[in-house]
Amino acid sequence: MPTKSIKIVVEGGNVKPGPPLAPTLSQLGLNVGEVVKKLNEATSSFKGMTVPVTLEVDTSTKKYDIKVGIPTTTALLLKEVGASEPSGDPKNKKIGNLSLEQIVKVAIMKKPSLTAKSLKAAVKSIVGSARSIGITVENKDPKEVIKEIEEGKYNDLLSKYENQWNEVKE
């Protein structure tokens, strides 16, 4: 069965049936409206965010599989903090504050694309990303929060999410 892989980047829940997607789907003999509807359903949880998607199309049967990727760490953090773009000056201009629980949520979502071997390491990485785009964590400079994580201050909180972390497939 010959398959064709189409990699696209779409706005979650807002895929439009126009170029360059529509001509490509038409060439493969797929119903553009149906595919767009399914793409919107599959990406609806990432509404307004840029999401990588792979369409695996069996060219002989016209059956297809939609594989939704994970948005960037920056996109997830911006959504979490309710901002539209990163701070142009993260050192002096803050765009919001997140709780460590929100950071853990982002770390768990990103697990498949992270190289971190533990939840603690993943959280420290996400906290670092938050710092680089102007987000404070627990109303503090993220650098301070990373130190506190290393000192074990948040071990109880992290252990609450350890099972969720372990359940995510890499």
Side-chain angles (χ1 to χ4, degrees):
M1 65 171 196
T3 59
K4 182 147 173 69
S5 196
I6 304 166
K7 292 180 189 302
I8 51 175
V9 177
V10 300
E11 183 185 333
N14 193 21
V15 181
K16 305 255 189 291
L21 185 59
T24 307
L25 297 176
S26 295
Q27 281 176 350
L28 296 171
L30 296 175
N31 177 332
V32 177
E34 177 192 311
V35 175
V36 167
K37 184 176 179 234
K38 291 217 162 96
L39 281 170
N40 281 324
E41 288 168 9
T43 60
S44 64
S45 61
F46 298 123
K47 204 158 197 61
M49 299 163 77
T50 304
V51 188
V53 175
T54 304
L55 268 174
E56 294 288 340
V57 183
D58 181 329
T59 53
S60 53
T61 66
K62 309 294 179 221
K63 290 195 184 327
Y64 57 90
D65 242 358
I66 297 173
K67 292 184 174 78
V68 179
I70 302 164
T72 64
T73 301
T74 298
L76 292 170
L77 288 169
L78 288 173
K79 181 179 185 197
E80 217 38 56
V81 83
S84 57
E85 59 184 40
S87 165
D89 180 10
K91 188 172 181 182
N92 300 307
K93 183 179 169 231
K94 304 301 177 201
I95 59 170
N97 179 63
L98 293 176
S99 69
L100 199 63
E101 288 200 32
Q102 289 172 294
I103 296 286
V104 170
K105 183 176 135 185
V106 171
I108 290 170
M109 284 174 85
K110 288 294 293 180
K111 182 182 180 182
S113 60
L114 292 175
T115 55
K117 295 292 174 224
S118 69
L119 176 59
K120 192 179 219 175
V123 166
K124 289 188 333 191
S125 167
I126 303 298
V127 168
S129 296
R131 181 173 196 258
S132 72
I133 61 172
I135 296 174
T136 56
V137 179
E138 298 288 334
N139 294 309
K140 300 175 194 160
D141 182 310
K143 230 177 175 175
E144 195 179 320
V145 175
I146 289 173
K147 246 184 238 148
E148 292 175 347
I149 290 169
E150 287 168 352
E151 291 165 359
K153 181 174 178 182
Y154 298 103
N155 284 355
D156 289 348
L157 174 76
L158 294 175
S159 66
K160 274 186 5 190
Y161 293 96
E162 204 64 49
N163 284 341
Q164 264 183 283
W165 170 262
N166 292 329
E167 288 169 8
V168 176
K169 304 250 184 294
E170 289 188 42

